[in-house]
Amino acid sequence: MPRYYIDTDDDDLLVESDGSEMLTSPAEARRAALDALPDMARDKMPDGDHRTFRATVRDEHGREVYTATMTLVGTWKITPPAS
């Protein structure tokens, strides 16, 4: 049975999967990659107003088979409040 791995990158940190999550189909791996993106954004914000998040699926041979990318851009329309 083939295995798939999800690597994530938030522009600061690349995390390569250690295989602890058992993903056995391309569709299951794609769904896991897409599901990871909003969680990554929640964990990283509000650290900046521009960031690109990526989740890449690798097969058991290390080949990239799917990549999902989400770009988050926040822009103040007024003078931001003092912190």
Side-chain angles (χ1 to χ4, degrees):
M1 172 181 311
R3 301 236 0 227
Y4 297 88
Y5 306 90
I6 308 295
D7 301 330
T8 58
D9 183 356
D10 66 8
D11 276 350
D12 283 336
L13 179 65
L14 170 65
V15 177
E16 293 185 344
S17 173
D18 62 3
S20 60
E21 185 176 1
M22 182 69 127
L23 302 168
T24 58
S25 75
E28 182 181 19
R30 175 187 173 271
R31 172 56 48 205
L34 292 170
D35 287 347
L37 295 173
D39 293 335
M40 293 169 63
R42 269 190 295 279
D43 289 346
K44 207 58 172 177
M45 298 318 275
D47 182 24
D49 285 325
H50 185 256
R51 190 169 297 273
T52 301
F53 303 93
R54 277 176 291 291
T56 302
V57 176
R58 287 182 292 116
D59 67 12
E60 60 194 3
H61 304 290
R63 296 178 297 217
E64 292 184 5
V65 296
Y66 181 82
T67 299
T69 304
M70 181 174 74
T71 302
L72 183 100
V73 177
T75 304
W76 284 103
K77 300 297 185 178
I78 61 169
T79 303
S83 299

